[in-house]
Structure formats: structure tokens, C-alpha cells
Amino acid sequence: MKKTWWVVPVIGAGAVVARRAWPSGSRSGGRPADRWLTVTINRPIDEVGTGEKPPPPLDRFGESIDVRTRPAPGGRGTELAVRPTEREARERSSSVPARLSGQDPRQELRHALREAKALLEAGEVLHADTPTTTRPTPAGKLLGLLDRRSGGEGVL
């Protein structure tokens, strides 16, 4: 019985190492820079734009991104997908410390994609109201940190 207590963590650690070392089954090779970022926009495809002329604010990225538009499944608008070009992805790497500090190059692209969706659907980018308190409290500082972190990727 005593042997099983150390065997379980060793097998678990081995499974984690094997999972990270095994190539991903995704079509893009598993590298985050190759993945398409996609949103569904409730507008016809002719109002969204094309790969040659993406909607603002995605147009400011110019040739450094690939843009794909296609009808959404079930006739529910348009899918707008973007990703950094291969050259751009090689030049700008994404690491865990960069993501945590808000310096991930894909965060800017995610933010612009959300803004494009808001502009196309609502006509403006809506922002949260300013906090009602002006005195910084410990809980307020924690919420501010989480709010800044979620603004880069949309998740905490």
C-alpha cells in the first residue's frame, strides 16, 4: 500500500510531460501564433469586409495579419477570423511571462478583433463605467489588476 502513494504522483507527472511533448493534433501544428482568432458578427458578409480590406480597427495591422471572412453556420451572420502572418509570428514570440504582463503580441490582435465586432454590430465600442469610488482600497486594486488583465485577452 505504501508504494502506491509515490507511484500515483510519478505517473501523473509522466502523463503531463508526455502530453506537453506530444505534438498537438491541430491542423496548425499547435503553435499559438498559428491559431485563428474568430468572432461571429451579426451582419451580412458584404458589410464586414474582405481579406484584402478588413474592417477598422483591424485595418491598422496591414500586411502583418491574415484575414478570413465567411458566412457563419446556420446563416447567422459572418465569421471574421484573423491571425498573424507566419513571418510576423516568427518575429514576435509569445511566452507565459509576456502574457501575464500584457506584452503578448496576440493580445493587441484580440483586442482589435473585439473592437471590430463592437463597431460593426453596435456602431461604437462600449466601455465599462468608471468606478464609483475614488479611494483606492485593497479590493479595488485587486479588481483593477484583474480588469487590466482581462482586457488583453478577454479572459482572466
Side-chain angles (χ1 to χ4, degrees):
M1 182 69 173
K2 289 184 179 181
K3 284 186 177 182
T4 59
W5 289 112
W6 66 268
V7 171
V8 172
V10 169
I11 290 173
V16 169
V17 169
R19 173 68 179 118
R20 290 182 182 238
W22 194 263
S24 173
S26 68
R27 291 173 288 192
S28 63
R31 294 188 334 229
D34 290 343
R35 295 187 196 135
W36 289 92
L37 303 170
T38 307
V39 295
T40 300
I41 300 173
N42 191 17
R43 290 278 180 247
I45 197 165
D46 56 337
E47 291 182 21
V48 173
T50 63
E52 293 82 33
K53 187 177 183 317
L58 292 171
D59 57 356
R60 74 172 182 245
F61 288 95
E63 298 293 321
S64 65
I65 61 171
D66 294 327
V67 180
R68 179 176 67 192
T69 57
R70 64 182 179 191
R76 294 188 170 101
T78 303
E79 277 189 0
L80 175 64
V82 296
R83 71 176 177 184
T85 59
E86 289 185 32
R87 182 182 54 82
E88 185 74 17
R90 280 192 308 264
E91 290 175 4
R92 302 176 76 183
S93 65
S94 173
S95 64
V96 173
R99 288 183 64 204
L100 292 175
S101 66
Q103 302 301 317
D104 183 7
R106 291 176 51 91
Q107 287 179 348
E108 185 180 354
L109 190 55
R110 285 183 190 100
H111 186 72
L113 187 62
R114 282 194 312 275
E115 284 184 352
K117 176 181 172 73
L119 284 170
L120 287 166
E121 289 184 343
E124 64 179 308
V125 179
L126 302 175
H127 297 284
D129 292 337
T130 57
T132 57
T133 180
T134 57
R135 192 180 74 207
T137 62
K141 289 181 181 180
L142 177 62
L143 286 174
L145 173 70
L146 293 175
D147 185 43
R148 284 191 303 276
R149 169 71 175 99
S150 68
E153 287 188 64
V155 294
L156 295 177

